Amino acid sequence: MYKTDRKLLVEELENNGIVDPYVLKAIGEVKREKFIPEAIKHYAYKDVALPIGYGQTISQPYTVAFMTQLLNLKEKSKILEIGTGSGYQAALLFNMGMEVYSIERNISIFSDTLKLFDQLRIRVKCKCGDGTLGWKDQAPFDGIIVTAGSPVVPTELKNQLSINGKLVIPVGDKETQMLKVITKEDDGLFSEENYPQFKFVPLIGREGWKDA
Ligand code: SAH
């Protein structure tokens, strides 16, 4: 089931400018319908964000693909995701052969997604807590991807990057954000690129928004 829809979605993403072959391959393989509530599964391969309960969403496939492409992953790398949500983004990274760590602050979402990972044999190391503080014991990371919008770039996340590591994070107000790619260069300094006009649910935490 859904095999054709997956193929069509990959074509649509290619037409919209996604070029990374590893990302396209993963989107063609990971079953997005598994990460979506039963009642709306038939929307799984539309290029839209969908509600996953608790006021949260699974991001639009284009956004997931674009952010993953920005991480510029080649060989096996150690990646930290902030905002596990439905688990789809983490599942893509796992499918791409990455060593994935993921943090979710909402305990109900956290436990539902943990069960799903178990069922689907997706081996992602998960933690329930405030992701704005990163995962210090496991740092440094080659990539950190934040899937909720923040008012600022949390300092701890920059600190937890390895040399040549990239942090991809939406930063802005609650209405719209720009995707920032922060790279820790060879000399330890940070460079920054910006891609405007995205919309995410808020990142809530010590270095994020204080409320929803
Ligand atoms: N990557 C997810 C997108 C989920 S939406 C997916 O593929 O479905 C963003 C998620 O970030 C929500 O589940 C929300 O509860 C979570 N979140 C918000 N602030 C957070 C924080 N400080 N730490 C960890 N998770 C957070």
Side-chain angles (χ1 to χ4, degrees):
M1 252 211 355
Y2 293 117
K3 204 169 165 203
T4 317
D5 307 70
R6 238 179 339 266
K7 199 160 165 261
L8 289 173
L9 175 63
V10 169
E11 282 172 24
E12 186 178 348
L13 295 176
E14 268 186 295
N15 290 336
N16 289 331
I18 303 298
V19 290
D20 185 325
Y22 301 108
V23 174
L24 292 167
K25 181 167 175 283
I27 301 237
E29 288 176 359
V30 176
K31 297 180 170 163
R32 191 166 183 259
E33 74 274 12
K34 303 276 187 202
F35 300 87
I36 287 171
E38 201 58 46
I40 53 169
K41 277 202 197 304
H42 51 287
Y43 290 116
Y45 294 97
K46 299 259 177 283
D47 191 17
V48 292
L50 294 169
I52 54 169
Y54 313 101
Q56 303 302 322
T57 54
I58 173 172
S59 307
Q60 179 184 350
Y62 173 80
T63 305
V64 176
F66 187 65
M67 289 178 87
T68 312
Q69 175 170 286
L70 289 174
L71 284 173
N72 195 21
L73 301 171
K74 293 203 170 62
E75 66 271 0
K76 184 175 165 148
S77 310
K78 192 171 179 181
I79 311 295
L80 174 64
E81 176 193 29
I82 312 300
T84 318
S86 70
Y88 179 67
Q89 170 75 67
L92 281 181
L93 292 166
F94 176 72
N95 174 283
M96 291 170 75
M98 302 300 143
E99 185 185 348
V100 188
Y101 293 77
S102 187
I103 308 177
E104 170 58 53
R105 75 182 280 276
N106 180 308
I107 180 77
S108 308
I109 297 180
F110 173 78
S111 44
D112 287 354
T113 302
L114 216 59
K115 271 187 229 141
L116 183 67
F117 283 159
D118 213 43
Q119 261 173 37
L120 301 177
R121 309 230 184 311
I122 294 171
R123 285 177 296 280
V124 170
K125 284 135 209 126
C126 297
K127 181 162 110 165
C128 189
D130 179 4
T132 66
L133 307 175
W135 195 329
K136 219 171 186 163
D137 302 349
Q138 291 295 341
F141 297 95
D142 306 311
I144 302 180
I145 180 166
V146 183
T147 64
S150 182
V152 292
V153 179
T155 327
E156 255 319 297
L157 297 185
K158 281 170 81 173
N159 290 343
Q160 293 180 22
L161 282 178
S162 59
I163 295 284
N164 294 316
K166 285 182 190 293
L167 164 63
V168 178
I169 178 168
V171 178
D173 56 30
K174 283 190 182 161
E175 295 314 310
T176 60
Q177 302 90 34
M178 31 186 146
L179 274 178
K180 279 189 184 292
V181 183
I182 294 165
T183 306
K184 186 168 180 176
E185 304 291 352
D186 292 328
D187 55 9
L189 297 176
F190 295 96
S191 66
E192 193 178 303
E193 296 155 54
N194 293 296
Y195 300 87
Q197 284 293 327
F198 286 85
K199 179 154 179 63
F200 287 81
V201 295
L203 181 77
I204 300 164
R206 183 118 55 99
E207 290 198 57
W209 295 102
K210 301 293 175 254
D211 56 49

